[in-house]
Amino acid sequence: MDESHVEGDLVDILYSEKQIQDRLAELARRIEDDYEGRELLLVGVLKGAVMVMADLARQFNRHVEMDWMAISSYGAGTKSSGVVRILKDLDTDINGRNVLVVEDIIDTGLTLSWLVSNLSSRGPASVEICTLLRKPEAQQMSVDVKYVGYDIPDAFVVGYGLDFNEKYRNLRSVGTLAPHVYS
Ligand code: IMP
């Protein structure tokens, strides 16, 4: 995509395509070490995690399986409602599996706390979380996030899977959206 079309909507590029890929490669090496000798199921959270999942998964030099869930916690606005609904459940039975939830961003952590307790109730061998981005508020959440790409300031960001009203997901970089777009 020619990003100049939306340039006026972004106030700042936080992470370039290269920075994102380099960080995902580092995370993949850590994950490979941590899961050595154990099977691994990546669970992506639609739709935002599509890009992270695709690029993280391709960094592995080992077998991984992938499955997807779609949950909804956001309306058309920019703040979490805390209400979570399953729109699409996993196809896989995760009983006895090592599950690594792959997320794009954690803001309040409400969505993820709910998701982790939901998945944990299905009898997996382990459940861990990998997120590309984490906002400050998320550090207060009770769930431990083992793999974090970048800790970012509390601003609304778009690109690389992250949307505002379903747009900007296809940007290769992550940037802050100018307040005039959503206020
Ligand atoms: P939480 O429940 O507040 O952690 O919200 C998590 C979900 O909200 C993420 O998976 C995103 O879909 C969405 N979200 C949170 N912050 C942003 C943002 O800055 N830009 C776009 N979507 C966001």
Side-chain angles (χ1 to χ4, degrees):
M1 174 178 175
D2 175 6
E3 301 198 359
S4 64
H5 278 105
V6 292
E7 230 169 44
D9 294 352
L10 297 184
V11 277
D12 208 6
I13 302 284
L14 286 187
Y15 299 104
S16 67
E17 182 177 14
K18 166 119 181 33
Q19 285 173 308
I20 293 169
Q21 297 306 327
D22 289 350
R23 187 68 185 129
L24 290 179
E26 288 171 8
L27 291 178
R29 297 292 81 76
R30 270 182 54 202
I31 295 166
E32 274 181 344
D33 285 350
D34 293 350
Y35 287 87
E36 203 182 335
R38 291 189 292 160
E39 60 79 40
L40 178 58
L41 173 68
L42 305 178
V43 168
V45 184
L46 294 169
K47 306 168 194 171
V50 166
M51 310 297 179
V52 187
M53 178 75 133
D55 289 336
L56 180 72
R58 284 180 294 180
Q59 293 287 351
F60 289 117
N61 299 309
R62 54 157 292 162
H63 289 299
V64 290
E65 289 181 35
M66 286 177 257
D67 201 350
W68 298 92
M69 271 183 93
I71 54 181
S72 138
S73 66
Y74 261 48
T78 61
K79 268 292 158 191
S80 192
S81 66
V83 179
V84 180
R85 277 190 307 144
I86 295 184
L87 305 177
K88 185 228 168 280
D89 208 340
L90 297 173
D91 298 330
T92 319
D93 178 1
I94 61 168
N95 188 17
R97 306 291 306 270
N98 294 298
V99 174
L100 180 62
V101 177
V102 177
E103 265 284 21
D104 48 357
I105 193 165
I106 308 173
D107 182 1
T108 62
L110 283 171
T111 314
L112 206 57
S113 302
W114 179 90
L115 183 62
V116 166
S117 72
N118 181 289
L119 294 177
S120 299
S121 72
R122 306 182 193 195
S126 65
V127 180
E128 298 290 353
I129 301 157
C130 176
T131 186
L132 178 65
L133 304 171
R134 180 171 66 177
K135 290 191 187 176
E137 215 179 315
Q139 294 180 15
Q140 290 152 29
M141 65 188 263
S142 53
V143 181
D144 181 44
V145 183
K146 195 157 183 190
Y147 309 99
V148 179
Y150 295 108
D151 278 304
I152 63 167
D154 190 15
F156 194 78
V157 294
V158 293
Y160 198 71
L162 289 158
D163 76 306
F164 176 66
N165 284 350
E166 296 302 325
K167 295 198 174 64
Y168 306 99
R169 290 194 199 275
N170 55 326
L171 292 180
R172 291 172 184 272
S173 49
V174 169
T176 27
L177 194 57
H180 74 82
V181 179
Y182 58 88
S183 59

